[in-house]
Amino acid sequence: MSEINQKIIETDEFYEKMLFKEALRTGFFEMQSARDKYREMTSNIQMHEELVMAFIRIQALLMSPICPHVAEHVFSLIREETNILDSKWPVAGEVDTYLIKSSAYLMDTAHRFRIQVKALRQNKGKDSKVKLGNGPFKATIYIAKSYPLWQGLILNKLKEMYEVSRISILQSSKFCRNMGTMWEYVYRECCLELSVTSRMKKYIRRD
């Protein structure tokens, strides 16, 4: 539902700015993509009927300013009590951006899994060690809850540099000059925290 709420907000903003092409993109095409993703993720179970009906109604309302006749026909198909011209514009609920990003990550990972399995199947004749049969049917995904220490130090340092200059750090000559200093800083902090430097030594330039 968060993705639907997000599309309501985006489509409404585009209509306010008279950007009808963008409103069509978010209100129709991206809504359809969200529906397809939901259908794929619930392939082993049935889709929730109330959610599907809410999706159809909201999308019809979002499209009513630019294709009112089609939207009205959709309303008649789902047997709405009022016509679409007398219906209120949909109000967006809470948008959980963390949930949306997690869903996008999961779908992207599943897509990469399918590509890798397809590549293995195509190459299995060349490598006798690859025995897939009809599988694999399962995969285990490990997700880190936090960055490794050295990555966290780098991100914090980059954030600090950006907040000071307020320009793209990659376009800043000062950033390039400070790269060596930053790596030395990260190296020292990791040594103090972990007392393990073997993974960091290859990133430090020795003059």
Short mmCIF file of all heavy atoms in Angstrom, two decimals, residues 139-190:
data_model
loop_
_atom_site.label_atom_id
_atom_site.label_comp_id
_atom_site.label_asym_id
_atom_site.label_seq_id
_atom_site.Cartn_x
_atom_site.Cartn_y
_atom_site.Cartn_z
N ALA A 139 16.72 -20.04 -2.20
CA ALA A 139 17.95 -19.27 -2.04
C ALA A 139 17.93 -18.62 -0.66
O ALA A 139 16.87 -18.29 -0.13
CB ALA A 139 18.07 -18.20 -3.12
N THR A 140 19.09 -18.47 -0.09
CA THR A 140 19.23 -17.81 1.21
C THR A 140 19.88 -16.45 1.00
O THR A 140 20.95 -16.36 0.39
CB THR A 140 20.08 -18.65 2.17
OG1 THR A 140 19.48 -19.94 2.33
CG2 THR A 140 20.18 -17.97 3.53
N ILE A 141 19.23 -15.40 1.48
CA ILE A 141 19.74 -14.04 1.33
C ILE A 141 20.19 -13.53 2.70
O ILE A 141 19.42 -13.54 3.66
CB ILE A 141 18.66 -13.11 0.75
CG1 ILE A 141 18.17 -13.63 -0.61
CG2 ILE A 141 19.20 -11.69 0.61
CD1 ILE A 141 17.03 -12.83 -1.18
N TYR A 142 21.44 -13.10 2.77
CA TYR A 142 21.96 -12.51 3.99
C TYR A 142 22.03 -11.00 3.83
O TYR A 142 22.57 -10.50 2.83
CB TYR A 142 23.36 -13.07 4.30
CG TYR A 142 23.37 -14.55 4.59
CD1 TYR A 142 23.61 -15.47 3.57
CD2 TYR A 142 23.12 -15.03 5.87
CE1 TYR A 142 23.61 -16.84 3.83
CE2 TYR A 142 23.12 -16.40 6.14
CZ TYR A 142 23.36 -17.29 5.11
OH TYR A 142 23.36 -18.64 5.36
N ILE A 143 21.49 -10.27 4.78
CA ILE A 143 21.47 -8.82 4.73
C ILE A 143 22.16 -8.26 5.96
O ILE A 143 21.79 -8.58 7.09
CB ILE A 143 20.03 -8.28 4.65
CG1 ILE A 143 19.32 -8.84 3.41
CG2 ILE A 143 20.01 -6.76 4.62
CD1 ILE A 143 17.86 -8.45 3.32
N ALA A 144 23.17 -7.43 5.74
CA ALA A 144 23.88 -6.81 6.86
C ALA A 144 23.05 -5.66 7.42
O ALA A 144 22.48 -4.87 6.67
CB ALA A 144 25.24 -6.30 6.39
N LYS A 145 22.96 -5.58 8.73
CA LYS A 145 22.20 -4.51 9.37
C LYS A 145 23.00 -3.22 9.49
O LYS A 145 22.44 -2.16 9.76
CB LYS A 145 21.72 -4.96 10.75
CG LYS A 145 20.72 -6.11 10.70
CD LYS A 145 20.22 -6.45 12.10
CE LYS A 145 19.18 -7.56 12.05
NZ LYS A 145 18.69 -7.91 13.40
N SER A 146 24.30 -3.32 9.31
CA SER A 146 25.14 -2.12 9.40
C SER A 146 26.33 -2.28 8.48
O SER A 146 26.66 -3.40 8.06
CB SER A 146 25.61 -1.89 10.84
OG SER A 146 26.37 -3.00 11.29
N TYR A 147 26.98 -1.16 8.17
CA TYR A 147 28.17 -1.20 7.33
C TYR A 147 29.36 -1.72 8.13
O TYR A 147 29.42 -1.54 9.35
CB TYR A 147 28.50 0.20 6.80
CG TYR A 147 27.52 0.72 5.78
CD1 TYR A 147 26.58 1.69 6.11
CD2 TYR A 147 27.56 0.27 4.47
CE1 TYR A 147 25.69 2.18 5.17
CE2 TYR A 147 26.68 0.75 3.52
CZ TYR A 147 25.74 1.70 3.87
OH TYR A 147 24.87 2.18 2.94
N PRO A 148 30.33 -2.34 7.45
CA PRO A 148 31.59 -2.64 8.14
C PRO A 148 32.22 -1.35 8.65
O PRO A 148 31.94 -0.27 8.14
CB PRO A 148 32.45 -3.28 7.03
CG PRO A 148 31.47 -3.79 6.03
CD PRO A 148 30.31 -2.84 6.07
N LEU A 149 33.07 -1.48 9.64
CA LEU A 149 33.65 -0.30 10.28
C LEU A 149 34.31 0.63 9.29
O LEU A 149 34.06 1.84 9.30
CB LEU A 149 34.67 -0.74 11.34
CG LEU A 149 35.45 0.40 12.01
CD1 LEU A 149 34.51 1.31 12.78
CD2 LEU A 149 36.54 -0.15 12.91
N TRP A 150 35.13 0.09 8.41
CA TRP A 150 35.88 0.96 7.50
C TRP A 150 34.96 1.67 6.51
O TRP A 150 35.18 2.83 6.16
CB TRP A 150 36.97 0.17 6.77
CG TRP A 150 36.48 -0.86 5.79
CD1 TRP A 150 36.10 -2.14 6.07
CD2 TRP A 150 36.34 -0.69 4.38
NE1 TRP A 150 35.71 -2.78 4.92
CE2 TRP A 150 35.86 -1.92 3.86
CE3 TRP A 150 36.57 0.36 3.51
CZ2 TRP A 150 35.60 -2.11 2.52
CZ3 TRP A 150 36.32 0.18 2.16
CH2 TRP A 150 35.84 -1.05 1.68
N GLN A 151 33.88 1.00 6.08
CA GLN A 151 32.93 1.66 5.19
C GLN A 151 32.16 2.76 5.92
O GLN A 151 31.90 3.83 5.35
CB GLN A 151 31.96 0.64 4.61
CG GLN A 151 32.59 -0.31 3.60
CD GLN A 151 31.57 -1.24 2.97
OE1 GLN A 151 30.39 -1.19 3.28
NE2 GLN A 151 32.04 -2.12 2.10
N GLY A 152 31.79 2.49 7.17
CA GLY A 152 31.10 3.50 7.95
C GLY A 152 31.94 4.74 8.17
O GLY A 152 31.45 5.87 8.09
N LEU A 153 33.23 4.54 8.42
CA LEU A 153 34.14 5.67 8.61
C LEU A 153 34.24 6.51 7.34
O LEU A 153 34.24 7.74 7.38
CB LEU A 153 35.52 5.17 9.02
CG LEU A 153 35.62 4.56 10.43
CD1 LEU A 153 36.96 3.87 10.61
CD2 LEU A 153 35.43 5.63 11.49
N ILE A 154 34.33 5.84 6.20
CA ILE A 154 34.42 6.56 4.93
C ILE A 154 33.16 7.35 4.65
O ILE A 154 33.20 8.53 4.28
CB ILE A 154 34.70 5.57 3.78
CG1 ILE A 154 36.11 4.98 3.92
CG2 ILE A 154 34.56 6.26 2.42
CD1 ILE A 154 36.41 3.88 2.94
N LEU A 155 32.00 6.73 4.86
CA LEU A 155 30.73 7.42 4.61
C LEU A 155 30.56 8.63 5.52
O LEU A 155 30.10 9.69 5.09
CB LEU A 155 29.57 6.44 4.79
CG LEU A 155 29.44 5.35 3.73
CD1 LEU A 155 28.37 4.34 4.13
CD2 LEU A 155 29.12 5.95 2.36
N ASN A 156 30.93 8.47 6.79
CA ASN A 156 30.82 9.60 7.72
C ASN A 156 31.76 10.74 7.32
O ASN A 156 31.40 11.92 7.42
CB ASN A 156 31.13 9.14 9.14
CG ASN A 156 30.03 8.28 9.72
OD1 ASN A 156 28.87 8.39 9.32
ND2 ASN A 156 30.38 7.41 10.65
N LYS A 157 32.96 10.38 6.86
CA LYS A 157 33.92 11.40 6.45
C LYS A 157 33.44 12.12 5.19
O LYS A 157 33.55 13.35 5.09
CB LYS A 157 35.28 10.75 6.20
CG LYS A 157 36.44 11.74 6.12
CD LYS A 157 36.67 12.41 7.46
CE LYS A 157 37.89 13.33 7.42
NZ LYS A 157 38.10 14.01 8.72
N LEU A 158 32.89 11.37 4.24
CA LEU A 158 32.36 11.98 3.03
C LEU A 158 31.18 12.90 3.35
O LEU A 158 31.04 13.99 2.77
CB LEU A 158 31.93 10.90 2.04
CG LEU A 158 33.04 10.05 1.42
CD1 LEU A 158 32.44 8.95 0.56
CD2 LEU A 158 33.99 10.91 0.59
N LYS A 159 30.33 12.47 4.27
CA LYS A 159 29.20 13.30 4.68
C LYS A 159 29.68 14.60 5.32
O LYS A 159 29.15 15.68 5.05
CB LYS A 159 28.32 12.53 5.67
CG LYS A 159 27.11 13.31 6.15
CD LYS A 159 26.30 12.49 7.15
CE LYS A 159 25.11 13.30 7.66
NZ LYS A 159 24.32 12.53 8.66
N GLU A 160 30.71 14.47 6.15
CA GLU A 160 31.28 15.66 6.80
C GLU A 160 31.85 16.63 5.77
O GLU A 160 31.64 17.84 5.85
CB GLU A 160 32.38 15.21 7.77
CG GLU A 160 33.09 16.35 8.48
CD GLU A 160 34.23 15.85 9.33
OE1 GLU A 160 34.12 14.71 9.87
OE2 GLU A 160 35.25 16.56 9.46
N MET A 161 32.55 16.10 4.77
CA MET A 161 33.14 16.94 3.73
C MET A 161 32.05 17.61 2.89
O MET A 161 32.17 18.77 2.50
CB MET A 161 34.06 16.11 2.84
CG MET A 161 35.30 15.59 3.57
SD MET A 161 36.21 14.35 2.61
CE MET A 161 36.79 15.37 1.25
N TYR A 162 30.97 16.88 2.63
CA TYR A 162 29.88 17.45 1.83
C TYR A 162 29.17 18.56 2.59
O TYR A 162 28.83 19.61 2.03
CB TYR A 162 28.89 16.36 1.45
CG TYR A 162 27.63 16.89 0.80
CD1 TYR A 162 27.64 17.34 -0.52
CD2 TYR A 162 26.44 16.98 1.52
CE1 TYR A 162 26.50 17.84 -1.11
CE2 TYR A 162 25.30 17.49 0.94
CZ TYR A 162 25.33 17.91 -0.37
OH TYR A 162 24.19 18.41 -0.94
N GLU A 163 28.92 18.35 3.88
CA GLU A 163 28.20 19.35 4.67
C GLU A 163 29.01 20.63 4.82
O GLU A 163 28.43 21.71 4.97
CB GLU A 163 27.87 18.77 6.05
CG GLU A 163 26.79 17.69 6.00
CD GLU A 163 26.50 17.10 7.36
OE1 GLU A 163 27.31 17.34 8.29
OE2 GLU A 163 25.48 16.40 7.50
N VAL A 164 30.32 20.52 4.75
CA VAL A 164 31.16 21.72 4.84
C VAL A 164 31.12 22.52 3.54
O VAL A 164 30.97 23.74 3.53
CB VAL A 164 32.61 21.34 5.18
CG1 VAL A 164 33.53 22.55 5.06
CG2 VAL A 164 32.68 20.78 6.60
N SER A 165 31.23 21.82 2.40
CA SER A 165 31.33 22.50 1.11
C SER A 165 29.99 22.68 0.41
O SER A 165 29.81 23.60 -0.39
CB SER A 165 32.28 21.73 0.18
OG SER A 165 31.78 20.42 -0.04
N ARG A 166 29.03 21.75 0.67
CA ARG A 166 27.72 21.77 0.03
C ARG A 166 27.80 21.70 -1.50
O ARG A 166 26.95 22.22 -2.21
CB ARG A 166 26.93 23.02 0.43
CG ARG A 166 26.38 22.96 1.84
CD ARG A 166 25.38 21.82 1.98
NE ARG A 166 24.93 21.65 3.35
CZ ARG A 166 24.10 20.70 3.75
NH1 ARG A 166 23.65 19.82 2.87
NH2 ARG A 166 23.74 20.59 5.01
N ILE A 167 28.85 21.08 -2.00
CA ILE A 167 28.95 20.82 -3.44
C ILE A 167 29.31 19.36 -3.62
O ILE A 167 29.69 18.68 -2.66
CB ILE A 167 30.03 21.71 -4.12
CG1 ILE A 167 31.41 21.43 -3.51
CG2 ILE A 167 29.67 23.17 -4.02
CD1 ILE A 167 32.52 22.16 -4.23
N SER A 168 29.17 18.89 -4.84
CA SER A 168 29.49 17.50 -5.11
C SER A 168 30.95 17.23 -4.79
O SER A 168 31.84 17.88 -5.34
CB SER A 168 29.20 17.17 -6.57
OG SER A 168 29.64 15.86 -6.87
N ILE A 169 31.20 16.28 -3.90
CA ILE A 169 32.57 16.01 -3.49
C ILE A 169 33.40 15.47 -4.64
O ILE A 169 34.62 15.65 -4.68
CB ILE A 169 32.61 15.02 -2.31
CG1 ILE A 169 31.86 13.73 -2.66
CG2 ILE A 169 32.03 15.65 -1.07
CD1 ILE A 169 31.93 12.69 -1.59
N LEU A 170 32.75 14.81 -5.60
CA LEU A 170 33.50 14.27 -6.74
C LEU A 170 33.95 15.37 -7.69
O LEU A 170 34.84 15.17 -8.50
CB LEU A 170 32.65 13.24 -7.48
CG LEU A 170 32.28 11.99 -6.67
CD1 LEU A 170 31.42 11.06 -7.51
CD2 LEU A 170 33.53 11.27 -6.19
N GLN A 171 33.31 16.54 -7.61
CA GLN A 171 33.69 17.66 -8.46
C GLN A 171 34.61 18.64 -7.74
O GLN A 171 34.99 19.65 -8.29
CB GLN A 171 32.43 18.41 -8.93
CG GLN A 171 31.51 17.55 -9.79
CD GLN A 171 30.23 18.29 -10.15
OE1 GLN A 171 29.99 19.39 -9.69
NE2 GLN A 171 29.41 17.66 -10.97
N SER A 172 34.93 18.32 -6.52
CA SER A 172 35.75 19.22 -5.72
C SER A 172 37.22 18.83 -5.80
O SER A 172 37.59 17.69 -5.56
CB SER A 172 35.28 19.19 -4.25
OG SER A 172 36.16 19.92 -3.44
N SER A 173 38.07 19.80 -6.15
CA SER A 173 39.51 19.53 -6.20
C SER A 173 40.05 19.28 -4.80
O SER A 173 41.00 18.52 -4.61
CB SER A 173 40.23 20.72 -6.84
OG SER A 173 39.97 21.92 -6.10
N LYS A 174 39.42 19.90 -3.81
CA LYS A 174 39.84 19.69 -2.42
C LYS A 174 39.62 18.25 -2.01
O LYS A 174 40.40 17.67 -1.26
CB LYS A 174 39.06 20.63 -1.50
CG LYS A 174 39.53 20.57 -0.05
CD LYS A 174 38.75 21.56 0.80
CE LYS A 174 39.21 21.49 2.25
NZ LYS A 174 38.46 22.45 3.11
N PHE A 175 38.53 17.66 -2.52
CA PHE A 175 38.26 16.25 -2.21
C PHE A 175 39.39 15.37 -2.71
O PHE A 175 39.86 14.47 -2.02
CB PHE A 175 36.94 15.83 -2.85
CG PHE A 175 36.70 14.35 -2.82
CD1 PHE A 175 36.31 13.72 -1.65
CD2 PHE A 175 36.88 13.58 -3.96
CE1 PHE A 175 36.10 12.36 -1.62
CE2 PHE A 175 36.67 12.21 -3.93
CZ PHE A 175 36.28 11.61 -2.76
N CYS A 176 39.85 15.62 -3.92
CA CYS A 176 40.94 14.82 -4.49
C CYS A 176 42.22 14.97 -3.67
O CYS A 176 42.94 14.00 -3.45
CB CYS A 176 41.19 15.23 -5.94
SG CYS A 176 39.77 14.94 -7.03
N ARG A 177 42.48 16.19 -3.21
CA ARG A 177 43.69 16.42 -2.42
C ARG A 177 43.60 15.74 -1.05
O ARG A 177 44.61 15.34 -0.48
CB ARG A 177 43.91 17.92 -2.23
CG ARG A 177 44.27 18.66 -3.52
CD ARG A 177 44.82 20.05 -3.20
NE ARG A 177 43.88 20.86 -2.45
CZ ARG A 177 42.98 21.68 -3.02
NH1 ARG A 177 42.91 21.76 -4.35
NH2 ARG A 177 42.16 22.40 -2.29
N ASN A 178 42.38 15.60 -0.54
CA ASN A 178 42.20 15.05 0.80
C ASN A 178 42.02 13.53 0.81
O ASN A 178 41.84 12.94 1.87
CB ASN A 178 40.98 15.68 1.48
CG ASN A 178 41.22 17.13 1.83
OD1 ASN A 178 42.37 17.57 1.93
ND2 ASN A 178 40.15 17.88 2.03
N MET A 179 42.02 12.91 -0.36
CA MET A 179 41.79 11.47 -0.41
C MET A 179 42.83 10.70 0.40
O MET A 179 42.51 9.80 1.17
CB MET A 179 41.81 10.98 -1.86
CG MET A 179 40.47 11.12 -2.56
SD MET A 179 39.19 10.10 -1.82
CE MET A 179 39.82 8.46 -2.18
N GLY A 180 44.10 11.06 0.22
CA GLY A 180 45.16 10.37 0.95
C GLY A 180 45.00 10.53 2.45
O GLY A 180 45.13 9.57 3.22
N THR A 181 44.67 11.75 2.88
CA THR A 181 44.47 12.01 4.30
C THR A 181 43.30 11.20 4.84
O THR A 181 43.35 10.68 5.96
CB THR A 181 44.22 13.51 4.53
OG1 THR A 181 45.31 14.25 4.00
CG2 THR A 181 44.06 13.81 6.02
N MET A 182 42.22 11.10 4.05
CA MET A 182 41.05 10.36 4.50
C MET A 182 41.37 8.88 4.69
O MET A 182 40.96 8.27 5.68
CB MET A 182 39.90 10.52 3.50
CG MET A 182 38.61 9.84 3.96
SD MET A 182 37.23 10.09 2.84
CE MET A 182 37.75 9.08 1.46
N TRP A 183 42.12 8.31 3.76
CA TRP A 183 42.45 6.89 3.89
C TRP A 183 43.34 6.65 5.10
O TRP A 183 43.21 5.63 5.79
CB TRP A 183 43.14 6.40 2.61
CG TRP A 183 42.18 6.08 1.51
CD1 TRP A 183 42.04 6.73 0.33
CD2 TRP A 183 41.20 5.04 1.50
NE1 TRP A 183 41.04 6.16 -0.42
CE2 TRP A 183 40.51 5.12 0.28
CE3 TRP A 183 40.83 4.05 2.42
CZ2 TRP A 183 39.49 4.26 -0.06
CZ3 TRP A 183 39.81 3.18 2.08
CH2 TRP A 183 39.14 3.29 0.86
N GLU A 184 44.26 7.57 5.36
CA GLU A 184 45.10 7.43 6.55
C GLU A 184 44.25 7.49 7.81
O GLU A 184 44.48 6.74 8.76
CB GLU A 184 46.16 8.55 6.57
CG GLU A 184 47.21 8.45 5.49
CD GLU A 184 48.15 7.27 5.71
OE1 GLU A 184 48.14 6.69 6.82
OE2 GLU A 184 48.88 6.91 4.78
N TYR A 185 43.26 8.38 7.81
CA TYR A 185 42.35 8.51 8.96
C TYR A 185 41.57 7.21 9.16
O TYR A 185 41.46 6.70 10.28
CB TYR A 185 41.40 9.69 8.72
CG TYR A 185 40.15 9.66 9.56
CD1 TYR A 185 40.18 10.03 10.91
CD2 TYR A 185 38.93 9.26 9.01
CE1 TYR A 185 39.03 9.99 11.68
CE2 TYR A 185 37.78 9.23 9.77
CZ TYR A 185 37.84 9.59 11.10
OH TYR A 185 36.70 9.55 11.86
N VAL A 186 41.03 6.68 8.08
CA VAL A 186 40.26 5.43 8.16
C VAL A 186 41.15 4.30 8.65
O VAL A 186 40.75 3.48 9.49
CB VAL A 186 39.64 5.09 6.79
CG1 VAL A 186 39.02 3.70 6.81
CG2 VAL A 186 38.61 6.13 6.39
N TYR A 187 42.36 4.25 8.14
CA TYR A 187 43.31 3.21 8.53
C TYR A 187 43.59 3.26 10.03
O TYR A 187 43.55 2.24 10.73
CB TYR A 187 44.59 3.38 7.72
CG TYR A 187 45.67 2.37 8.04
CD1 TYR A 187 45.60 1.08 7.54
CD2 TYR A 187 46.76 2.72 8.84
CE1 TYR A 187 46.59 0.15 7.82
CE2 TYR A 187 47.74 1.80 9.13
CZ TYR A 187 47.66 0.52 8.62
OH TYR A 187 48.64 -0.39 8.90
N ARG A 188 43.86 4.45 10.55
CA ARG A 188 44.18 4.60 11.97
C ARG A 188 43.00 4.21 12.84
O ARG A 188 43.14 3.51 13.85
CB ARG A 188 44.59 6.04 12.27
CG ARG A 188 45.96 6.44 11.73
CD ARG A 188 46.43 7.73 12.38
NE ARG A 188 45.47 8.81 12.19
CZ ARG A 188 45.49 9.64 11.15
NH1 ARG A 188 46.40 9.50 10.21
NH2 ARG A 188 44.59 10.60 11.06
N GLU A 189 41.78 4.66 12.45
CA GLU A 189 40.60 4.37 13.25
C GLU A 189 40.31 2.87 13.27
O GLU A 189 39.92 2.32 14.30
CB GLU A 189 39.39 5.13 12.70
CG GLU A 189 39.47 6.64 12.88
CD GLU A 189 39.48 7.03 14.34
OE1 GLU A 189 38.72 6.43 15.12
OE2 GLU A 189 40.25 7.93 14.71
N CYS A 190 40.50 2.22 12.14
CA CYS A 190 40.26 0.78 12.08
C CYS A 190 41.28 0.02 12.93
O CYS A 190 40.96 -0.98 13.57
CB CYS A 190 40.30 0.29 10.64
SG CYS A 190 38.85 0.74 9.67
#
